[in-house]
Amino acid sequence: MSDTWVDFAAGWVSGGTSVLACQPIDTVLTRMQANAGMQSTTSVFKRMGLAAATTSLRGMVSNFGASSLWRGSSCMIGAVPFQNALLMTGYGWGKRWSDDFGGEDRASKMMAVFVGGCFGGVLQSFVMSPVSEMMDLLGGSSCLSVRGTSNKLEHMNRM
């Protein structure tokens, strides 16, 4: 398997894993923030504490089932693995390209990391910007709605 495919697969797996693992935390914190009147998550968590987060988590699971912790995450599950795959692939390309021109000294190695990071970030941003805009327009649970998607696309075209 080529280095490019290894980078792509590593990015894809890490992106998917991060959404699946962290989405429940984000869901609980978002619910706590919404219930506290849209204050920052940090101030809500400081004021309400771990006990409130635990209570919110238990309430969501008992009232709506464990799957409620991932409600509204379908867009993230679709986009983040692809986004991470692009970032890691771009990083790998940039780093390998820069390594070909650099030496073995510390500055050359740091330049390779810098070039790789810049290349990966630009690739990711260029490709994911329209996806991010679409997710913002669709929002939450309507991201899978075909009618909602076509209406939002028409709105985007008028902008």
Side-chain angles (χ1 to χ4, degrees):
M1 189 189 275
S2 75
D3 288 343
T4 300
W5 285 110
V6 170
D7 292 339
F8 188 86
W12 189 276
V13 170
S14 69
T17 302
S18 69
V19 170
L20 292 174
C22 296
Q23 184 64 35
I25 296 167
D26 186 50
T27 301
V28 168
L29 292 177
T30 301
R31 176 164 285 216
M32 287 174 60
Q33 187 176 10
N35 290 339
M38 297 306 291
Q39 299 172 8
S40 75
T41 303
T42 306
S43 66
V44 168
F45 197 74
K46 280 181 183 176
R47 193 179 85 237
M48 297 175 82
L50 184 60
T54 305
T55 302
S56 181
L57 173 71
R58 286 182 182 154
M60 288 179 67
V61 171
S62 67
N63 292 330
F64 307 109
S67 64
S68 68
L69 298 173
W70 288 274
R71 185 168 292 140
S73 67
S74 56
C75 288
M76 295 286 290
I77 290 170
V80 171
F82 184 61
Q83 181 177 357
N84 277 18
L86 288 174
L87 180 63
M88 296 307 289
T89 301
Y91 173 80
W93 283 342
K95 186 173 183 318
R96 285 188 292 278
W97 176 82
S98 184
D99 280 342
D100 290 343
F101 297 106
E104 291 299 316
D105 62 326
R106 181 176 163 84
S108 295
K109 290 183 180 195
M110 291 305 291
M111 182 55 75
V113 170
F114 176 76
V115 170
C118 289
F119 192 78
V122 168
L123 177 65
Q124 171 203 17
S125 296
F126 181 73
V127 173
M128 292 306 294
S129 288
V131 173
S132 178
E133 179 67 24
M134 181 58 121
M135 286 171 56
D136 289 344
L137 287 172
L138 291 176
S141 62
S142 65
C143 67
L144 295 178
S145 164
V146 174
R147 174 182 277 174
T149 302
S150 63
N151 291 342
K152 301 298 180 177
L153 285 172
E154 288 174 20
H155 175 72
M156 283 177 65
N157 285 333
R158 284 188 233 131
M159 293 171 71

